[in-house]
Structure formats: structure tokens, C-alpha cells
Amino acid sequence: MTGILLRNIRPLGGPPVDLAIRDGRIGAMGEGLSADGLTVEEGDGAICVPGLVEAHTHLDKTVMGMGWYANAVGTDLRAMIDNERAERRRLGLDVSRQAMRHALALVGNGTTHVRTHVDVDTENGLDGLRDVLSLRDALRGVLDIQVVAFPQSGLMIRPGTAELLDQAMAMGADLVGGLDPCAVDRDPKGHLDTVFALADRHGAGVDIHLHEPGEMGAFSLELICERTRALGMAGKVTVSHGFCLGMPDARRTGALIDGLAELAIAVMTTGAPSREVPSVPRLRARGIRMGAGCDGVLDTWNPWNRPDMLDRARIVAQKNNMRSDADLAAVLDLCSSGGALAIGVGGHGLALGAPADLALLPGETLAAAVARGGPVLMTLKRGAVTARHGKALMEAP
Amino acid sequence: MTGILLRNIRPLGGPPVDLAIRDGRIGAMGEGLSADGLTVEEGDGAICVPGLVEAHTHLDKTVMGMGWYANAVGTDLRAMIDNERAERRRLGLDVSRQAMRHALALVGNGTTHVRTHVDVDTENGLDGLRDVLSLRDALRGVLDIQVVAFPQSGLMIRPGTAELLDQAMAMGADLVGGLDPCAVDRDPKGHLDTVFALADRHGAGVDIHLHEPGEMGAFSLELICERTRALGMAGKVTVSHGFCLGMPDARRTGALIDGLAELAIAVMTTGAPSREVPSVPRLRARGIRMGAGCDGVLDTWNPWNRPDMLDRARIVAQKNNMRSDADLAAVLDLCSSGGALAIGVGGHGLALGAPADLALLPGETLAAAVARGGPVLMTLKRGAVTARHGKALMEAP
């Protein structure tokens, strides 16, 4: 058996066709295709979209399956960071097991690509990163995982962290992470010089958490643009969250957005309901590559997030007041092909010859799929079925 | 058979007990109660909460079960109002049937009380209102429904509407509604004088949609307070949405909130992710009665909302950045006992002698129930089971 015939699926919610997959790629699409040695899977008129892309999460943090985590820490960022570091030990959080649970839940919900930030700090060292790199290998053919070495506890305020990040990159992490150069690290120049120097040395991209609001965040963003330009790193830099881009002054944010566009800096959003957030329609209209993510899921940070990009699409749509069917289709694109471009994966789509990384969704239209949510009917990775009815075929630990 | 013994349930997530219901009321609570002529229902350790309260919705608007409504109208409030009036006719929206579908979906999801706004305008007259009043009667014993006669299309800008509201109250509507006295009706004095005069004449309360942001909304809110005081209507007035209460100037909103507290004006929130919203912790700390609602569900306005107060609790928590277990328990209270107080229903709780209006929720803790959501395991109204596993026992049309 060399492939699969998906019978009666609707690409992007359009008219029903059959889709033939050979050697892991989309080989043909049309009415009444011959099965001809292919395994037939009945689509029953399901919507077919490029596999969902989780562009911002933390696979090393979830307590999924470990019983309910009672959160009493409040909402201060530094307190949440310190709480997590302490709780990792107290709970005996096994990153290998937990990351696998999280990753397979994502697969069950239609995901084919993930970018995950993984904590690197002087207390937990590189253990979690090593575990997630192993997971990346173990899930090859099921889920593509990009790993960001992430100084969650700060970089300049915790000497030794830069060296750990350097080792993390040598071990095979894909990108160098960063975090609130002013608000957390208290040394924007030091922080960003270090992050960009590491990226430059390893020929890697960067993805920086920027929660800083208003003018503080705008300042950090300017420093990020300056370094991106100086190092010739256009197209290799990502800003996650970017709450400052949602501040009310549209002229000010317009200048910032122009800077991002010029340097092809990507922006990841979670559509955080309680914060000002970058406007999805505005940034995309300006040509900014954007992705969306569920962020950490069932962890010591917050109880609401789910490992589910359809759920996230609804949250992003609500936050951006995107109501029309066209709007919701755009949000779904943000969570699949658009997100793939944002994390630097080209060719993720329904073109002939593209890798058969697909999700079959319930619903009459793309908008209905976002509004009503899962369970996702089927996930395929490189032409192999990886999940059915919301559940990954690979058993979670 | 005179009642039910709920065996092994956890009131508000506490230790497991049995709960005996006789004559529709909570008769006893404790370990190892005797069944003694009661029908036994196994709770299996489920959380037991007072029935969920949908404090702000529109039962007359949903297109649930009529196929996907493709929305192309955009986000302008007036355009959405006009679109809906036109679409009601084009779609042949049968309010009796649709309101029943919506109401039973709420029952399935744990709801025992609803306050619904029903459109009254010079084009559709009182037809929809009549249908919802009939539904209110038909569902007695299943769901308590309060009906607000709601001038959705405007009052002063559509002469004849005030007379229709007057008739609506005479027909048995419970409250007089209002809508954006400045932004929609363009005549705040005329609008509010009319609404309050109608309420005064019928001895009824008012519930006013106030989407107006910032200082415009604050102005309208002041006018509402002035009339509440002048007419001695303290405790009988509700403001829905109240986005102006979420504006950044905390001193200004502090004065507004003090005014609401003095006049016992209630506030309903949907936790609208794209808007500034009244802070749930802040208003509740000031003693303001608050309720939450899902607003219109699957209608011509928006595609995201679901007839599900657990889903809404999660949205309100996310919007208010309420993360801790204590926070989430408070949000669940907002969606049950707190919401009941806000709509003027006393005694909604788990006290001995209280009406047995209950919901059994899955989850280890109240916070887990909010974070993970349904399906709700069982809904009871006046001691009778009305829904199991997310589905009302009464068949929807």
C-alpha cells in the first residue's frame, strides 16, 4: 500500500473531491479518483485544511493528567515565574512524559507543526530541553517540532544562563529565545545583545516573548529591529505576544508595524483576552507573517488554555472582533498555512506535490468549524493518519 | 415517589454527601442519608452547584438548527441591527421554535434561570415577544425565564416603539429594556425618560444595554443613576455590558461604580474579549450585584457564542485575568448564585429549604469545572431532573 485516497472531502470548505496521497504527498485532487492500490478513507464531506500549526506553546510545562493543579499564585509575572520553578520540583514534573501528553493532544486536535519554547535556567539546567529534543526525534513523522531555548527565568539576572543557551543551541535547539528585556531582565541592551549574538553564532533565528505593554514594549521592539537590521537577520526573527502592538495610539503602532514589515519579523499571538494584543487583520494586511498559539496548557500559569488550535482560533477571532465568515476563514488560515509561514515552514498547503499534512474538520464552512470547534475528525502527517475523532493514534504515556 | 436522593455529590466541590430533595426543595444534606421512598440518583462524586443562571441573552435571535448562517455584515452596530431585522424575514425565523431550541440547550448545560431580552420594534411588532411569553409558560417547572421588552432597533428614532413597549409590559413582560441612549437612539434624555416612565407605570424594573464606550457611556450611566434615584428605583435597575466601566481611568470609573453601589444597580457582563469591560473582581468587591450571560447565540450578530454558562465562565475568567482557583470559583458563583441575585432571584443556593435548582458538574474542583467545561452531568429544576449529560430531557423542536 503506497498511500491513501481521501474520498469525499472538501478542500477549504469548497466542493467535494477525492484527494490521493502518494509517498506522503498530495498526488491528485478531483472527482471520482480511482483508488488504484490506495487505502480508502471516507471523508464524508468533511472540510480538509492544511494541518493546524501551534506556533507558540510550552510543551515542557503542562501538568495534564497529573490531577488538578490548584493555583494560588496570582497574576504577577515574576511571581508566576518563581512559582513555576519551585513547583517543577515539588510536583516532580516529568518533562518527557508531560510533553508527550501535550504533543499528542495537539495531534488529536489536528496539529501537524509545533513551535515550543522550553525553559533553560540555572536551576533546571538543560534537562527539560534534552527531553523535548528527544521528543522531537521520537515524534518525527507524527508532528514537526521546533524547539526554542527559552530563558524563562531571565538571562542577565541569572548569570550562567547565556552559557546554558549556548549549549542548548549546540545540542540542537532550533531557535534562541528571549523574554521581556526590560520588565523581566532589567537590562534590555545586555539581554538583546546576548540573544542576538547567540543566534548569530549558531546561524539560528530568535523568538522573543514580549509581554511588555505600551511604550516599554515599543522600546524593546525598536531594539529588536535595530539588531535584526544590523545582523542581517531579516526573516529570521519572531516576536511572541507583542502586546505593545495593541496599544491605542495607532500612529505609534503603525510605525512599529512598518518596522516589522521591513525586516520581515513575524508575530505570534494568543489573542490574550485580558491584554491589548496586536490586531490580526491590521498586521496581516501590512504583510506581517503571523501565527497563533495556545501558549502553555494546564500548567502552573493558567487554567484556561487547551491544546486545541480550533479553540484558539475562536479565542483569537473573539478578541479581534472578527465575526464574518471571511474573518473566521482568515483566522483559520492564521492557525494553519499562515502559521506555517510564520514559523518558517514553506509549502504547507493543499497544492499538488505538497506534503500531505492535513486535518479534516467538521462543519459546513470554515467559519462554522472555528465557531463550533472540534473534535477534529482526522489528522494526517506526511500521508499517514495520526489521529481520529480528536484522539491521536499513538498512545499517550 | 415524592423526591430524589442525590447520592455522593460534592456541594461546591467540598466533601461528598447525599442530598435529599422533597417537594422540590433541599430537604437534607449529609453522609449516608436513607433513601426512604426517594428515587436515588447516583452523583458519583460530581460537584453540585446551584443551577446556572444565564443573566443576559436573546432567546428570540438564534438560528440554531437552521443551517450555518454566513455572516457578511461586519461590526458596525447599526448595520448589525438593520441586518438582523431584514434577515428575520428572509430566513423566516420562527421565534417559538428557535427560542425553545436555545432554552433547552441552556437547560442541557446546567441552566435553571434565564433573563432574555426580546426585540420589540415597529416592523416585527409584538410577535416575538408573544412567542417568548408563551415559551416562558411552556417551560414553567423546567426553566425560569424573565422577559425584557427590548427596543433593539431604537426607541426615539422609531416612533411607535414606546407604545409597543407599553403593550409588551401589559402582556406580561417582566422588565423594560433600553439600548445605547446616545449612540443608537441619539436622544439620551428622551430615551431614558421614556424607559423609566414605562417602568414606573408598570411597577417593573429596567435592564438597559449600554455598549457606549468611554465618556459617552459614562454620561448615559449618570443619566441612568439620576433617574433611578429620582424614581426611587434603587435595586430595580440593571445595566448590561457597561463597557464604559472598563475604561482605563480608574478614578472616573471608581466614581461611576460608587454610584451603582449606592443605587444597587446590577451589572451584567459577557466578558466581551474585544471590548473594555467592567472588572468582575472590582465591582463585586464594591458590592455590586453582577451576573454573566452568553448574549445572543448562533445568530446574525456573531458566530462564537454558545448556550453554555460554563463556557461563558471561562471567557469571563480569561477576560478578567482571573487565574487562581479562588478566582475561578468566584466566576462560577457569578454564573449561578451571584447571577440569581443580580436578576432579583433570592434564595438560590444550597441551603436547606432552598428550591432544588441544581447542576452537577464534572471536575475535581470548581476551578477545574470552569477550566475544562462540560458536558454538565445533570440539571435539576424544583427537584426534577431536566437534563442529563448535556442534553435536556424535553425534546427540542
Side-chain angles (χ1 to χ4, degrees):
Chain A
M1 214 60 73
T2 61
I4 287 177
L5 184 70
L6 286 178
R7 190 174 270 158
N8 186 20
I9 52 101
R10 294 183 298 123
L12 302 179
V17 295
D18 300 339
L19 187 154
I21 300 168
R22 290 181 195 278
D23 300 325
R25 294 182 176 272
I26 299 176
M29 233 184 308
E31 289 181 62
L33 294 188
S34 148
D36 192 18
L38 301 175
T39 306
V40 175
E41 294 279 354
E42 294 295 342
D44 297 321
I47 295 171
C48 180
V49 297
L52 303 181
V53 176
E54 163 54 277
H56 183 99
T57 191
H58 299 265
L59 292 179
D60 62 326
K61 291 183 188 293
T62 188
V63 297
M64 208 180 289
M66 293 173 64
W68 180 252
Y69 177 74
N71 182 327
V73 71
T75 59
D76 176 74
L77 182 58
R78 287 294 295 274
M80 290 195 283
I81 290 171
D82 293 340
N83 178 63
E84 180 181 45
R85 237 184 13 263
E87 291 290 69
R88 268 189 192 282
R89 290 171 180 245
R90 194 184 64 82
L91 295 167
L93 196 144
D94 176 342
V95 171
S96 291
R97 181 189 64 199
Q98 294 307 114
M100 182 62 97
R101 287 179 179 169
H102 186 160
L104 290 179
L106 285 167
V107 170
N109 293 328
T111 311
T112 55
H113 298 76
V114 172
R115 177 179 285 185
T116 180
H117 299 252
V118 181
D119 290 9
V120 171
D121 64 59
T122 50
E123 218 168 293
N124 295 290
L126 295 160
D127 294 349
L129 188 99
R130 193 173 289 114
D131 291 342
V132 177
L133 290 175
S134 298
L135 180 80
R136 184 180 68 181
D137 295 337
L139 287 181
R140 241 178 255 286
V142 176
L143 185 66
D144 287 348
I145 300 177
Q146 294 182 354
V147 175
V148 185
F150 177 47
Q152 171 76 77
S153 291
L155 184 51
M156 308 309 284
I157 55 173
R158 291 182 80 87
T161 304
E163 290 71 16
L164 288 168
L165 289 180
D166 194 30
Q167 292 174 48
M169 296 307 294
M171 286 162 63
D174 300 291
L175 299 104
V176 182
L179 170 73
D180 293 339
C182 297
V184 171
D185 227 21
R186 328 304 282 181
D187 177 2
K189 180 179 187 306
H191 181 97
L192 291 172
D193 283 350
T194 305
V195 166
F196 276 86
L198 282 166
D200 192 42
R201 182 179 327 150
H202 292 278
V206 308
D207 189 335
I208 298 173
H209 277 67
L210 195 60
H211 307 97
E212 293 165 359
E215 287 298 342
M216 174 166 53
F219 167 61
S220 291
L221 200 53
E222 288 170 347
L223 298 187
I224 289 169
C225 287
E226 288 166 12
R227 282 154 184 79
T228 304
R229 186 180 294 110
L231 290 168
M233 281 183 62
K236 297 183 72 177
V237 173
T238 300
V239 170
S240 282
H241 301 301
F243 294 146
C244 62
L245 292 163
M247 67 176 163
D249 183 343
R251 268 189 83 194
R252 178 78 171 106
T253 53
L256 295 171
I257 293 166
D258 287 344
L260 298 178
E262 180 206 333
L263 295 162
I265 294 175
V267 175
M268 304 311 181
T269 188
T270 64
S274 67
R275 306 297 301 259
E276 290 170 342
V277 298
S279 160
V280 169
R282 188 176 182 211
L283 268 67
R284 280 170 55 107
R286 187 66 182 81
I288 309 285
R289 288 174 298 130
M290 287 191 83
C294 301
D295 214 339
V297 163
L298 275 181
D299 56 20
T300 65
W301 289 73
N302 82 72
W304 327 298
N305 293 340
R306 298 176 185 164
D308 180 346
M309 289 305 299
L310 280 186
D311 179 64
R312 185 56 45 176
R314 177 181 176 233
I315 290 171
V316 170
Q318 287 181 297
K319 177 65 183 178
N320 285 272
N321 202 16
M322 296 172 81
R323 295 169 179 252
S324 72
D325 280 49
D327 276 348
L328 266 61
V331 170
L332 193 53
D333 178 76
L334 174 82
C335 297
S336 66
S337 300
L341 279 178
I343 64 168
V345 172
H348 185 58
L350 300 183
L352 293 185
D357 293 347
L358 306 170
L360 300 190
L361 311 181
E364 304 91 317
T365 65
L366 294 171
V370 171
R372 296 219 190 96
V376 168
L377 303 169
M378 192 185 289
T379 315
L380 297 102
K381 183 70 184 174
R382 294 275 167 174
V385 178
T386 54
R388 292 181 193 273
H389 304 291
K391 212 177 155 339
L393 301 188
M394 186 182 281
E395 200 72 41
Chain B
M1 213 61 74
T2 60
I4 286 176
L5 183 71
L6 287 177
R7 190 173 271 158
N8 186 18
I9 52 104
R10 293 184 298 123
L12 302 179
V17 295
D18 300 339
L19 186 155
I21 299 168
R22 293 182 193 275
D23 300 326
R25 294 181 178 274
I26 299 176
M29 232 183 311
E31 288 182 63
L33 294 188
S34 147
D36 190 20
L38 302 175
T39 305
V40 174
E41 294 279 355
E42 293 297 341
D44 296 321
I47 295 171
C48 180
V49 297
L52 303 181
V53 176
E54 163 53 279
H56 183 100
T57 191
H58 299 264
L59 293 179
D60 63 326
K61 292 183 188 294
T62 187
V63 298
M64 208 181 288
M66 293 173 63
W68 180 251
Y69 177 74
N71 183 326
V73 73
T75 59
D76 175 74
L77 183 59
R78 288 293 296 274
M80 289 195 283
I81 290 172
D82 293 342
N83 178 64
E84 180 182 45
R85 239 183 13 261
E87 291 290 70
R88 270 190 189 280
R89 291 171 180 245
R90 193 183 67 78
L91 296 167
L93 195 146
D94 176 341
V95 171
S96 291
R97 182 190 63 201
Q98 293 306 115
M100 183 61 96
R101 286 178 180 169
H102 186 160
L104 291 179
L106 285 167
V107 170
N109 293 328
T111 311
T112 55
H113 298 76
V114 172
R115 177 178 286 184
T116 179
H117 299 251
V118 182
D119 288 9
V120 171
D121 65 59
T122 52
E123 219 169 291
N124 296 292
L126 296 160
D127 294 350
L129 188 98
R130 192 173 290 114
D131 290 341
V132 177
L133 290 175
S134 298
L135 180 80
R136 185 180 65 181
D137 294 338
L139 287 181
R140 239 178 259 288
V142 175
L143 186 66
D144 287 348
I145 301 178
Q146 294 182 353
V147 175
V148 185
F150 177 46
Q152 170 78 78
S153 290
L155 184 52
M156 310 308 284
I157 55 173
R158 292 182 79 88
T161 304
E163 290 72 15
L164 288 169
L165 290 181
D166 194 29
Q167 291 174 48
M169 296 307 294
M171 286 163 62
D174 299 291
L175 300 104
V176 182
L179 171 71
D180 293 339
C182 296
V184 171
D185 227 22
R186 328 306 280 180
D187 178 1
K189 179 179 188 307
H191 182 97
L192 291 172
D193 283 349
T194 304
V195 166
F196 276 86
L198 282 167
D200 192 42
R201 183 180 326 152
H202 292 278
V206 307
D207 189 334
I208 299 174
H209 278 66
L210 194 60
H211 308 96
E212 294 166 358
E215 288 297 344
M216 173 166 54
F219 168 61
S220 291
L221 201 54
E222 289 170 347
L223 299 186
I224 290 169
C225 288
E226 289 166 12
R227 283 156 183 76
T228 304
R229 186 179 293 112
L231 290 169
M233 282 181 64
K236 297 182 72 177
V237 174
T238 300
V239 169
S240 282
H241 300 303
F243 294 147
C244 63
L245 292 163
M247 65 176 164
D249 182 342
R251 267 189 80 195
R252 178 79 171 106
T253 53
L256 295 172
I257 293 166
D258 287 344
L260 298 178
E262 180 206 333
L263 295 161
I265 293 175
V267 175
M268 304 310 180
T269 189
T270 65
S274 67
R275 305 298 300 260
E276 289 169 343
V277 298
S279 161
V280 169
R282 187 175 181 212
L283 269 69
R284 281 171 55 108
R286 188 64 183 82
I288 309 283
R289 287 174 298 130
M290 287 191 83
C294 301
D295 214 340
V297 163
L298 274 182
D299 57 20
T300 65
W301 289 74
N302 82 73
W304 326 298
N305 293 340
R306 296 175 187 165
D308 181 346
M309 289 304 300
L310 279 186
D311 179 64
R312 184 57 45 176
R314 177 181 176 232
I315 290 171
V316 170
Q318 286 181 299
K319 177 65 183 179
N320 286 272
N321 202 16
M322 297 171 80
R323 296 169 178 252
S324 71
D325 281 49
D327 276 348
L328 267 61
V331 170
L332 193 53
D333 177 76
L334 175 82
C335 296
S336 66
S337 300
L341 279 178
I343 65 169
V345 172
H348 185 58
L350 300 183
L352 292 186
D357 293 347
L358 306 170
L360 299 191
L361 311 182
E364 304 89 320
T365 64
L366 294 172
V370 170
R372 297 220 189 95
V376 168
L377 304 170
M378 191 185 291
T379 315
L380 296 102
K381 182 70 184 174
R382 293 274 168 177
V385 178
T386 54
R388 292 180 193 274
H389 302 292
K391 214 179 155 334
L393 300 187
M394 187 183 282
E395 199 71 42

